[in-house]
Structure formats: structure tokens, C-alpha cells
Amino acid sequence: MPAAYEIRAGGDVKNRKQSMADLKLRRLNELNSRLKEDLERPRIKVSEASMSLIHYCQNTKDFMVPSLWGQVDKREDPYAPQQPNPCCSVM
């Protein structure tokens, strides 16, 4: 009758545990370095960011909102359908 379980060498288990511990330590060190980078990232207050966004929206012409900026000349509108070139092509 064959044995249901095999006997393993004890040293292999110890090496695996050590490699798992090394892997966990490396992941924690990487997470720690990412958190340090996030901490060093420059920050601005929400009120400053919103005022900057409001200023940009009020001073930048948006062709997709004609109710605010008025009708745009077709030559200035980058979203207007392009007219085919009236020149003839040489074959």
C-alpha cells in the first residue's frame, strides 16, 4: 500500500519562510518609499485650486459653449466640419 504523505526535508520549509519574510519586507519598504514621495509632493489649498479653475474658465474661450461666448466664426472654430479643398488634384 503506497504512503499517503511524503516526507519532506525540513530545511526547504525554513528557506521558504525566510524568502516570504524577505518578500514582505521588500513590499513594506516599497510602500514606505511611495508614502514618503506622496508626503513630499507639493500641495495647494482647495480654495486656491478652485479660484484658479474659475479664473481659467472665465478667461479661456470655449467653442463648445456658444451660449456663454456667442457664435464663433467657422474659420476660428476647430470643431466645425472642414470644407473640402476646392483645388483639383493631379493624377
Side-chain angles (χ1 to χ4, degrees), residues 39 59 68:
L39 186 62
N59 295 320
L68 180 63

Side-chain angles (χ1 to χ4, degrees), residues 15-27:
N15 288 339
R16 269 195 225 136
K17 285 184 181 180
Q18 181 63 35
S19 65
M20 289 298 290
D22 290 339
L23 180 63
K24 286 180 181 180
L25 178 63
R26 186 167 27 119
R27 286 182 181 169

